[in-house]
Amino acid sequence: MLYGILAAVSLAALWISVRYIGLRKAIRNSDRELQEITEDLEQNRIVKMSVPCRELEGLLITVNEALEGIRRQKVAYEDREAKLQRQIENISHDLRTPLTAIIGYLDLINTETLGEDDAQSFETVRKRAGMLQRLVSQFYDLARLEAGDYNLDMQEADIGKMLREELLDSFGDMEQKGIQVEVEIPERPVMICCDQDAMGRIFLNLIQNAGRYAASTLKVAVDVHDKITMISFENDVKEMKHEEANRLFDRFYTADPARGQGGTGLGLTISRHLTESMGGIMDAKLTEEDGREWLKIVSCYCSLRDQ
């Protein structure tokens, strides 16, 4: 009798052990499946339970329903984004032609025949029209970049020379704003494969960003190391937070609207898109040095050859 009881207890213990081990393995497998699914939601997969268990199967049903809801939201979001991009592109395209005509007519007006007050008003109108034209162009380019329709003409170029020329053109504006510019660019050619118009656009956006937010100093440097060309724009800032630095590439985000000076929050967004389209990366971080906070925007590209 005792032997039979012991045998039954042993069998029960063995069954529980096997069941426990099987459930642990099944949970690990389900966890691995869930991680794979969340990494690629495009695939219409569900989490399965390899060992029957009513309670855990109920949990997985809830998990799979949540995954399906996330997929539907993702599809709806991407659809809204695609529609918004098309609308922005269409509206921008429709506005560009009349704006170009307006600016052309403004350029034909002989300001010498205007009185002092009228001339000042006319200059204000022309500046505002130019700002609107640039804004429309930014909307249009951003829509094309995000849709993957922005065509690049990739050629070999000396970006050191290009950057020096952009800085030289902007030196007078920086000097008027009291911003000291420090430059470290190698005298030798720094060659990468890029679209020269896009690279010039990136440099101009970075210079304008520094012009808006630099407290007193802008440091520009080009460094080539291990076949990687790194371009850095670093300027001192006042009262910027780390989370603000992380958001600088968000559409329409301006770190300080009161000091934005007409900034739309699109320049850095477009710059990062252009950089990534040319195979590079761009990031920003906030550091502290000499008792001042510095915003450093770095972009990296593959060098064409050892330099």
Side-chain angles (χ1 to χ4, degrees):
M1 181 68 177
L2 180 60
Y3 177 77
I5 294 174
L6 290 175
V9 171
S10 298
L11 287 174
L14 178 61
W15 182 87
I16 292 172
S17 298
V18 172
R19 177 68 171 172
Y20 174 72
I21 293 172
L23 286 175
R24 287 193 60 184
K25 182 178 180 181
I27 291 172
R28 286 197 300 269
N29 291 338
S30 298
D31 179 62
R32 184 169 58 253
E33 284 185 2
L34 182 59
Q35 291 179 16
E36 292 174 355
I37 291 171
T38 54
E39 289 175 359
D40 185 8
L41 288 172
E42 298 295 332
Q43 300 185 24
N44 192 24
R45 294 175 55 190
I46 62 172
V47 185
K48 299 180 292 294
M49 193 71 184
S50 57
V51 175
C53 178
R54 183 183 304 171
E55 291 77 9
L56 289 178
E57 286 175 354
L59 173 63
L60 292 186
I61 289 174
T62 303
V63 169
N64 288 326
E65 289 176 349
L67 286 173
E68 182 60 28
I70 292 172
R71 289 192 185 100
R72 287 196 298 267
Q73 291 180 358
K74 185 174 185 293
V75 170
Y77 171 79
E78 290 176 347
D79 185 57
R80 288 195 301 270
E81 280 288 296
K83 289 181 179 178
L84 177 61
Q85 289 173 5
R86 288 194 297 270
Q87 290 171 353
I88 291 174
E89 185 174 352
N90 291 336
I91 293 172
S92 301
H93 184 270
D94 291 341
L95 289 175
R96 292 175 76 188
T97 301
L99 268 175
T100 301
I102 290 171
I103 292 175
Y105 285 127
L106 289 174
D107 289 338
L108 292 175
I109 295 176
N110 184 6
T111 56
E112 295 180 356
T113 62
L114 300 176
E116 184 177 350
D117 292 340
D118 290 339
Q120 291 179 355
S121 299
F122 174 80
E123 186 61 26
T124 300
V125 170
R126 187 165 61 178
K127 286 182 178 180
R128 296 298 182 183
M131 288 175 58
L132 183 56
Q133 185 184 46
R134 289 190 294 272
L135 177 59
V136 170
S137 179
Q138 286 180 330
F139 275 123
Y140 183 70
D141 289 342
L142 181 60
R144 291 171 59 206
L145 282 165
E146 292 186 338
D149 295 333
Y150 196 98
N151 296 321
L152 297 170
D153 182 16
M154 303 292 284
Q155 297 182 5
E156 184 175 343
D158 179 1
I159 60 168
K161 178 182 177 183
M162 292 174 59
L163 182 53
R164 279 192 293 268
E165 291 174 351
E166 289 289 348
L167 288 169
L168 185 61
D169 290 341
S170 304
F171 183 78
D173 292 337
M174 291 294 184
E175 191 174 35
Q176 286 182 356
K177 295 176 180 178
I179 300 174
Q180 179 182 356
V181 181
E182 302 176 8
V183 181
E184 292 185 14
I185 302 176
E187 292 297 329
R188 66 182 186 279
V190 181
M191 309 302 296
I192 68 169
C193 187
C194 66
D195 182 296
Q196 295 189 38
D197 290 337
M199 189 61 68
R201 180 90 172 268
I202 292 170
F203 290 157
L204 181 59
N205 287 341
L206 291 172
I207 292 170
Q208 289 177 343
N209 182 76
R212 292 189 184 102
Y213 299 110
S216 63
T217 307
L218 169 62
K219 300 178 181 179
V220 181
V222 176
D223 183 39
V224 182
H225 182 68
D226 290 338
K227 298 183 180 180
I228 298 295
T229 297
M230 183 176 72
I231 306 168
S232 64
F233 280 70
E234 188 174 9
N235 60 271
D236 54 345
V237 294
K238 294 181 179 179
E239 300 178 353
M240 177 175 283
K241 301 177 181 178
H242 287 276
E243 54 267 27
E244 291 178 321
N246 295 330
R247 294 190 58 195
L248 286 176
F249 300 104
D250 293 349
R251 284 180 293 184
F252 309 115
Y253 181 78
T254 54
D256 186 352
R259 298 175 58 225
Q261 302 177 23
T264 63
L266 292 176
L268 291 183
T269 306
I270 292 173
S271 296
R272 174 180 264 185
H273 275 294
L274 288 172
T275 297
E276 293 175 348
S277 297
M278 292 186 291
I281 58 174
M282 179 178 287
D283 206 355
K285 65 179 181 179
L286 197 63
T287 61
E288 187 172 344
E289 182 182 346
D290 300 330
R292 290 185 288 176
E293 289 185 332
W294 295 82
L295 174 65
K296 188 172 186 178
I297 299 178
V298 179
S299 53
C300 298
Y301 307 87
C302 292
S303 305
L304 283 178
R305 53 179 178 268
D306 294 336
Q307 300 176 46

